[in-house]
Amino acid sequence: MDAPRTVTIGPYRLPSNVVLAPMAGVTDRPFRMLCRRFGAGLAASEMLSADVRLWDTPKSRRRMDHGGEPSPRVVQIAGFDPSMMADAARRNVDAGAQIIDINMGCPAKKVCNRLAGSALLQDEALVAQILHSVVQSVAVPVMLKTRTGWDRDHKNAIRVARIAEDSGIQALAIHGRTRADLYQGDAEHGTVKAVKDSVKIPVFANGDIDSPERARQVLRETGCDGVMIGRAAQGRPWIFDDVNFFLEHGESRAVLALEKVRAIMRAHLEDLYAFYGEETGVRVARKHLSWYFRQHPGQEALRNRLVRIETPDEQLSTLLELFDMGV
Ligand SMILES: Cc1cc2nc3c(=O)[nH]c(=O)nc-3n(C[C@H](O)[C@H](O)[C@H](O)COP(=O)(O)O)c2cc1C
């Protein structure tokens, strides 16, 4: 049995050391709130560009919407220019962010072409300037999310972590792959452990944590303060409850009853319609539906019907029909 560790970031003592990873296109406000209800200790927003000229779009406005979200609200920003990053951080704090998370982990082309995300790892002097500039610009804690390095020959996460700590960064999340790895191969947590051993600030291990057992193993192997879960929460937001329970009691939670899953999915869909409006809400819901059903093989025909539906009423009633058939 591993007693859950308490993680404190600035003035915030997290309710759990198991947190949701930021995922563009996934961790919108409804999903963040769902994961928090299931016990995620933190749930960062989808990445927001530090270029404030890009903010006047429905997509960016939604990414900055934190109405009703529990504290501490974390907003992730990505960019390459220290003063733009500082400005973006300040504006988000004014809009309700209580923790700023800096993205130096994303390998996406659109970000890296502009030397942002994990591409920044190539330029440690610039990393230092960005981190320093953001930390100085806001009164709230700043976190950094990054990878183990640029590529396997340039794993500089330890140096970056020390730069971060010296710059006043208050927590780190390390994805156990390099930028060049993209998502290939298995996450490598040896470097994550080395990072944890080299700094005093809290470190979250991230990458391929997809079960309570794996979470415990990574916590034990790395000595990290917490774990960060991304893809495994897609279609399974209750994973946080499963992991918290397992870490606390050393045994597995009972499998969720189908009627509970039905109620969770129904409420999630209704939140999506309310947040995005009907048309976009139905489209976004399709993604989540396919993740939820990934765990229930069979009934392909009905499921295919479900993901083509255009209206909320039909989407919900077909979902409920599926459950009535026992999925
Ligand atoms: C669809 C998707 C979108 C992502 N978007 C972001 C992002 O906006 N910011 C970020 O720092 N990482 C992003 N990531 C990376 C995740 O936060 C995480 O580091 C990665 O998925 C590894 O964790 P996992 O194995 O638990 O999924 C994204 C990952 C996925 C799958």
Side-chain angles (χ1 to χ4, degrees), residues 165-279:
E165 189 168 47
D166 291 346
S167 305
I169 292 290
Q170 299 202 32
L172 295 169
I174 312 286
H175 178 184
R177 291 186 174 87
T178 67
R179 193 250 166 200
D181 290 335
L182 301 170
Y183 285 89
Q184 288 147 16
D186 293 332
E188 170 276 294
H189 289 110
T191 306
V192 180
K193 176 184 180 348
V195 169
K196 168 62 197 165
D197 291 343
S198 64
V199 292
K200 292 193 184 66
I201 52 178
V203 179
F204 294 91
N206 170 238
D208 299 349
I209 296 166
D210 58 1
S211 67
E213 293 78 5
R214 183 77 184 128
R216 184 173 68 180
Q217 185 191 3
V218 170
L219 280 170
R220 284 179 177 171
E221 283 176 10
T222 60
C224 277
D225 304 270
V227 286
M228 176 178 269
I229 298 179
R231 289 164 296 173
Q234 295 171 349
R236 193 183 163 193
W238 51 88
I239 192 171
F240 298 98
D241 188 43
D242 291 346
V243 176
N244 285 332
F245 187 88
F246 186 75
L247 292 179
E248 196 172 343
H249 302 285
E251 57 189 59
S252 301
R253 253 241 195 281
V255 173
L256 263 194
L258 220 50
E259 72 227 45
K260 288 212 171 130
V261 177
R262 181 189 200 261
I264 293 162
M265 288 175 71
R266 179 186 191 152
H268 188 183
L269 260 53
E270 283 168 346
D271 275 357
L272 291 173
Y273 306 146
F275 186 64
Y276 286 102
E278 297 200 345
E279 198 182 324

Side-chain angles (χ1 to χ4, degrees), residues 130-178:
I130 290 174
L131 300 184
H132 194 258
S133 170
V134 173
V135 168
Q136 294 306 313
S137 73
V138 289
V140 305
V142 182
M143 299 175 58
L144 171 68
K145 177 160 178 294
T146 187
R147 289 189 172 226
T148 51
W150 171 249
D151 61 26
R152 289 181 189 198
D153 297 325
H154 301 90
K155 284 193 182 174
N156 57 347
I158 294 178
R159 279 200 308 276
V160 168
R162 289 198 177 125
I163 290 170
E165 189 168 47
D166 291 346
S167 305
I169 292 290
Q170 299 202 32
L172 295 169
I174 312 286
H175 178 184
R177 291 186 174 87
T178 67

Side-chain angles (χ1 to χ4, degrees), residues 65-142:
D65 183 343
H66 313 291
E69 236 181 302
S71 169
R73 296 178 292 273
V74 189
V75 171
Q76 189 185 66
I77 55 173
F80 54 92
D81 180 89
S83 65
M84 284 167 79
M85 290 283 277
D87 188 30
R90 249 189 321 262
R91 288 175 191 239
N92 275 291
V93 171
D94 290 346
Q98 294 169 309
I99 296 179
I100 294 292
D101 183 30
I102 296 178
N103 178 344
M104 286 191 192
C106 183
K109 271 224 165 81
K110 164 158 106 173
V111 183
C112 286
N113 279 348
R114 299 172 59 181
L115 200 71
S118 53
L120 289 170
L121 296 177
Q122 274 184 315
D123 187 342
E124 291 173 18
L126 182 56
V127 167
Q129 279 174 34
I130 290 174
L131 300 184
H132 194 258
S133 170
V134 173
V135 168
Q136 294 306 313
S137 73
V138 289
V140 305
V142 182

Side-chain angles (χ1 to χ4, degrees), residues 235-236 238 255-262 265 288-304 319 322-323 326-327:
R236 193 183 163 193
W238 51 88
V255 173
L256 263 194
L258 220 50
E259 72 227 45
K260 288 212 171 130
V261 177
R262 181 189 200 261
M265 288 175 71
H288 290 277
L289 285 169
S290 68
W291 288 324
Y292 279 114
F293 282 114
R294 202 165 48 183
Q295 300 159 60
H296 299 274
Q299 302 290 352
E300 267 73 22
L302 258 175
R303 249 176 291 139
N304 288 342
L319 172 70
L322 264 171
F323 272 97
V327 209

Side-chain angles (χ1 to χ4, degrees), residues 44-58:
S45 72
E46 302 169 84
M47 158 179 86
L48 192 66
S49 162
D51 187 343
V52 301
R53 291 167 304 181
L54 305 176
W55 287 3
D56 196 19
T57 64

